[in-house]
Amino acid sequence: MTISSYVRDGLAFDVIDSGPADGDPVVLLHGFPERATCWREVSPILHEAGFRTIAPDQRGYSPGARPRTRLGYRGGELIEDVVALIDEIGRPVHLVGHDWGSAVGWGVAARRPDLVRSWTAMSVPHPVPFARSMKGPQRRKSAYMALFNMPFVPELVSGRDGRMERMMRGSGWNDDDVERFREEIVDYGALPGGLGWYRALVLAPRIGRVSVPTTMLWSDGDVAIGRTALEGNEDSVTGPYELIELPGVSHWIPTKAPRKAADAILTTIAKATGA
């Protein structure tokens, strides 16, 4: 049965469920500041390979799931939202996440390996090595988080040609990306909720090691996540682990390198299932 939405603790989440209905399910978790549509060029490639894709608009992005305080965006809640989606699907899934979706996916894979057949992380490594890297050069790359943690200010600079749009252009966005941000995030009312994830960072839960087959996909054109953030990432995975580096690709892997993203997902799935 196709899932267009699901409910957890009174919050309603919108879902894009597409591809072969009988295909093995692949759950795709978007990052900031994007929605499920960021997988629009990745999903068809997975469909061609016989997989069903389920991409939710996560907490803060779906209109029916926008808590008003930062307590509503605690990492444990974000993780349980995905667990509830997998329960709705009714079987273990291949899990994929980019940016903040990757941060959440690490938590799901660590806490509920029974629900995750394989795990493909894009851009953001396990929180333990990432936190450790903040003592070095990564701290400078993550300086934007201070802005995103401020009350009201990020929303005030999110207008047309404002500071936030200039930041995103500097990270690799083009005119089409900016227009999609205006329509799908700002005009849609999703920006405060997306920023809520940053504002709740101090409430992040501890995440243990991941035992499921894992691939880490990182691009050397990423202005937000440096190579040092990945040092020791393999130590946070007890199962099979592979690091794939994409040369000449910006932070926005799903939209700027959809074929490479899909190939990495398919390779991870094949190794996990022995296909």
Side-chain angles (χ1 to χ4, degrees), residues 123-156:
S123 301
V124 175
H126 189 283
V128 170
F130 184 76
R132 189 166 55 236
S133 73
M134 291 293 282
K135 299 177 181 178
Q138 181 59 41
R139 185 178 184 87
R140 184 172 61 255
K141 286 182 173 291
S142 297
Y144 68 92
M145 290 185 181
L147 170 64
F148 290 174
N149 268 281
M150 296 176 68
F152 309 119
V153 175
E155 287 91 338
L156 292 175

Side-chain angles (χ1 to χ4, degrees), residues 99-178:
D99 187 77
W100 260 110
S102 181
V104 172
W106 283 107
V108 176
R111 289 187 174 187
R112 295 299 306 271
D114 57 310
L115 299 180
V116 180
R117 300 179 66 190
S118 71
W119 164 228
T120 305
M122 299 184 187
S123 301
V124 175
H126 189 283
V128 170
F130 184 76
R132 189 166 55 236
S133 73
M134 291 293 282
K135 299 177 181 178
Q138 181 59 41
R139 185 178 184 87
R140 184 172 61 255
K141 286 182 173 291
S142 297
Y144 68 92
M145 290 185 181
L147 170 64
F148 290 174
N149 268 281
M150 296 176 68
F152 309 119
V153 175
E155 287 91 338
L156 292 175
V157 299
S158 65
R160 185 173 293 267
D161 299 321
R163 182 178 178 184
M164 186 171 290
E165 288 190 2
R166 293 196 298 271
M167 289 174 60
M168 294 304 170
R169 287 185 186 276
S171 72
W173 276 13
N174 58 27
D175 289 345
D176 290 340
D177 299 318
V178 170

